[in-house]
Amino acid sequence: MDGAKGDFSVEMRRKEVVAAVLPMKEHRLPLSNLDLLLPPVDVGVFFCYKKPVSATGEDNIPFTFTSMVCVLKKALAQVLVSYYTFAGEVVKNTVGEPELLCNNYGVVFHEAFANIELRDLNLYNPDESIEGKLVPKKKQGVLSVQATELKCGGLVVACTFDHRVADAYSANMFLVSWAETAQSKPLSLFPSFRRSLLNPRHPGRYDPSMDYMYVPISALQPPNPCNQVDHLISRIYYVEAEQLSELQALARGSGQKRTKLEAFTALLWKIIASGEGGSCKRCKMGIVVDGRTRLSGGDGKEGETIKTYFGNVLSIPFAEKTAGELRERPLSWAAEAVHNCLESAVTGEHFLGLIDWVEAHRPEPTMATIYAGGSSEEDCGPAVVVSSGQRFPVAKMDFGWGKAAFGSYHFPWGGDAGYVMPMPSAVGNGDWVVYMHLLKGQLQMIETQASHLFRPLASHHLCF
C-alpha cells in the first residue's frame, strides 16, 4: 500500500455539537453494577466508504462530502432522541461513583479532510493511519463523531464512546439505528435503560470464584515489570473462512466440536505462550461474555427487554496455564481449556452473582483481574483478552450512499493486558477482520508462526 508509513495529514475543518432534535427533561441515570466494573476508557469504531457510485441521494441531492455530513448530522440528532444517554455527560454522585447526567449536552461532531485515498490507507497499522487522525479523541460528553473526506471522494465515519456507558453490543445497536434513521427506515431495535433489570439481590450471594475474577482497584499491585521492556501496539489482520474452518477442525478433541472462536483463542494462547522464556510463567487468557441471553428469562416481554438493554452486560472469565503446558500440549487441549473457561460464565446465576459481588464492594471501584496483568517476577506472564465482535454490524452500516468497504473497532486502551477482537469482514463471506492490541513481541510471534492464517490487512481485502 502507498502511505504505508501513515505519512498523510488531516485537516480539521469544522466542529459543532449535535444535540437530540427533541428537548428532554434533565435527569440523572445511575450506572448499573456491571457498568461500574469498567474503568474510564474510550472505545473507537470506524467505517470506510468508497466514493458513492450513485450521483445523488434522497431528493436528488448530489452526494458530496457536505451533503453526506448533513445526512449524518440530521440522522444523529433524530436517533439521539431514543439513545439519549449518548447525548449526556458522565458525572459523579454523592459517594464519588460515576453516573449519567441526561441533559442533552449533545455529541461533538468533527469534519475533516485527509489527503490520502482509501486504497492507500495503511489499515494494517492503525497506530499510524487511524490513531489521532481518523478516530476522534473524546474530550467532552459520552460520544464523539468524526467524518473525514478522503482525496478520492471516499469517506471515513468514526465514533469514540465512553465504555462505562455502553459495551460493544450497545454501540452496535446505536450504529445500526443511526444508519436506519439516515435512510428514513423504522428502528429495528429500541434501547432499554431499565436499570432494575440488573438490580442486586437481597440478600446478595456470589460464588467465591468472583474474588479471583475481579478485584478492588485499591488491591492492585504496581504495573507488571516484565512488560516495561516491550510496549503494546495495534495491528489489523485478515483471516479467510477456509483457514478458520481448518483451525476449528484441528481444535476438535475426543469428538468434542469447538467453535471457531474457541479454536482461534486457543491458537492465540499457544502462540503467545511460545514466546515466554520460562516454562513456569503463567499465561492468562480471558474471553468477554455477553450476559444478555443468559439473563433473558425466556421469550416473554422481560426477556425481550434485556436483549435490547443499553449498557454493559459483560463478564470476563479467564483461564491460566503455564507457558510450558501451552507449548507442549496440543491445540485441542488448549481449546478445551478455553471452552471450560467459558462454561463457568455462560449462566444467569454467574451474572446475578457478579452484580451482587459489585454491590458488596461498593463504593470501592473494582475491575476485572485479568486487566491488571501479572505483577510479580513469579507471575509476570502475558495476559490477553479476546472479545468476539461477530455482531459487528459492518454489513448494515449504509447511510444511503452504499455499504461500508471496511469497518473495525479501534481500542488501544492503554492497559497492561492485550486485547483482541475478531469481526466479520465487510465482504460477508465468512472471512474475519481481527483487531489486535498486543505487545510488539507477541505480534512478531504471531506473524512468524501463523503467517498463513493472519495476513496483514491490505487494500484488496476491502469490499470495493
Side-chain angles (χ1 to χ4, degrees):
M1 281 186 177
D2 295 332
K5 295 182 179 179
D7 51 354
F8 66 94
S9 61
V10 177
E11 176 191 353
M12 292 296 169
R13 292 181 168 175
R14 187 179 180 188
K15 182 179 79 171
E16 68 174 283
V17 177
V18 178
V21 69
L22 296 178
M24 64 177 299
K25 184 177 180 181
E26 183 176 306
H27 65 283
R28 292 191 173 223
L29 181 67
L31 297 186
S32 78
N33 282 10
L34 299 184
D35 293 325
L36 295 175
L37 284 169
L38 274 295
V41 295
D42 293 333
V43 182
V45 61
F46 66 97
F47 300 93
C48 302
Y49 298 87
K50 61 184 180 181
K51 183 178 180 179
V53 176
S54 175
T56 59
E58 190 175 296
D59 301 325
N60 288 323
I61 298 175
F63 273 133
T64 63
F65 176 69
T66 299
S67 66
M68 289 189 286
V69 165
C70 287
V71 169
L72 291 170
K73 289 180 180 178
K74 180 181 177 181
L76 179 60
Q78 293 171 334
V79 80
L80 286 175
V81 174
S82 297
Y83 290 85
Y84 57 85
T85 54
F86 265 168
E89 297 178 273
V90 176
V91 297
K92 290 186 177 181
N93 63 16
T94 56
V95 295
E97 294 176 327
E99 67 178 14
L100 272 164
L101 175 61
C102 301
N103 59 354
N104 199 21
Y105 165 80
V107 172
V108 177
F109 195 109
H110 306 262
E111 297 175 41
F113 173 80
N115 65 336
I116 191 170
E117 297 195 4
L118 177 56
R119 290 183 181 275
D120 295 333
L121 271 179
N122 183 14
L123 294 172
Y124 160 65
N125 185 352
D127 290 339
E128 294 289 343
S129 61
I130 302 300
E131 177 67 16
K133 292 185 175 181
L134 301 180
V135 172
K137 294 291 185 183
K138 184 182 67 61
K139 297 180 180 180
Q140 298 168 286
V142 175
L143 172 70
S144 183
V145 174
Q146 180 174 320
T148 305
E149 180 184 11
L150 303 179
K151 190 167 64 173
C152 58
L155 174 71
V156 178
V157 179
C159 304
T160 300
F161 63 91
D162 192 322
H163 202 340
R164 295 172 296 178
V165 176
D167 56 14
Y169 184 100
S170 302
N172 292 346
M173 286 173 51
F174 164 78
L175 291 167
V176 172
S177 295
W178 187 14
E180 289 172 339
T181 302
Q183 295 201 65
S184 302
K185 295 180 180 179
L187 298 191
S188 54
L189 290 174
F190 283 89
S192 167
F193 302 99
R194 283 180 53 191
R195 297 295 193 244
S196 60
L197 294 169
L198 300 182
N199 278 349
R201 297 171 292 189
H202 297 287
R205 60 185 183 276
Y206 56 86
D207 190 274
S209 63
M210 291 295 175
D211 291 322
Y212 173 68
M213 290 175 54
Y214 292 88
V215 61
I217 289 180
S218 61
L220 294 179
Q221 300 297 317
N224 188 333
C226 300
N227 285 354
Q228 294 178 4
V229 298
D230 203 344
H231 61 283
L232 292 158
I233 61 175
S234 298
R235 294 291 184 267
I236 301 179
Y237 298 93
Y238 198 87
V239 182
E240 295 179 353
E242 182 179 354
Q243 298 280 2
L244 286 168
S245 296
E246 292 177 1
L247 179 63
Q248 185 180 20
L250 288 172
R252 182 193 295 266
S254 303
Q256 298 295 320
K257 185 177 181 180
R258 300 304 176 202
T259 66
K260 288 183 175 67
L261 182 66
E262 289 172 335
F264 169 88
T265 304
L267 177 66
L268 186 67
W269 201 6
K270 283 177 63 65
I271 292 175
I272 288 174
S274 70
E276 293 302 302
S279 296
C280 294
K281 297 297 183 183
R282 311 293 295 183
C283 302
K284 300 184 181 72
M285 180 61 70
I287 305 97
V288 178
V289 177
D290 188 332
R292 286 172 178 80
T293 58
R294 282 83 192 181
L295 293 169
S296 63
D299 298 324
K301 182 177 290 187
E302 186 169 319
E304 290 301 314
T305 301
I306 193 67
K307 289 178 183 177
T308 60
Y309 177 82
F310 191 94
N312 287 280
V313 194
L314 304 176
S315 181
I316 311 178
F318 68 91
E320 189 174 5
K321 302 293 182 182
T322 66
E325 288 177 309
L326 289 162
R327 283 199 294 260
E328 296 165 7
R329 301 293 185 96
L331 180 67
S332 58
W333 178 85
E336 182 179 8
V338 171
H339 177 80
N340 293 337
C341 174
L342 285 169
E343 284 291 293
S344 68
V346 293
T347 66
E349 180 57 35
H350 170 84
F351 281 89
L352 292 173
L354 180 54
I355 293 168
D356 291 346
W357 184 90
V358 175
E359 187 69 15
H361 291 80
R362 291 180 64 183
E364 168 78 61
T366 54
M367 68 182 296
T369 303
I370 191 168
Y371 279 150
S375 59
S376 68
E377 289 295 334
E378 296 77 24
D379 184 34
C380 66
V384 176
V385 174
V386 175
S387 178
S388 173
Q390 292 309 304
R391 294 193 185 99
F392 185 58
V394 62
K396 298 180 180 180
M397 293 308 296
D398 185 349
F399 291 97
W401 47 81
K403 294 183 178 180
F406 179 77
S408 174
Y409 270 91
H410 182 64
F411 190 36
W413 76 290
D416 196 32
Y419 182 84
V420 175
M421 177 179 271
M423 295 159 281
S425 163
V427 179
N429 59 355
D431 294 352
W432 283 6
V433 167
V434 182
Y435 171 82
M436 293 192 181
H437 186 63
L438 298 174
L439 295 174
K440 184 177 181 180
Q442 293 170 347
L443 289 168
Q444 289 173 344
M445 293 295 298
I446 289 168
E447 294 188 5
T448 299
Q449 296 188 23
S451 59
H452 65 289
L453 183 68
F454 298 101
R455 301 181 180 179
L457 190 80
S459 61
H460 65 266
H461 293 132
L462 276 60
C463 184
F464 281 113

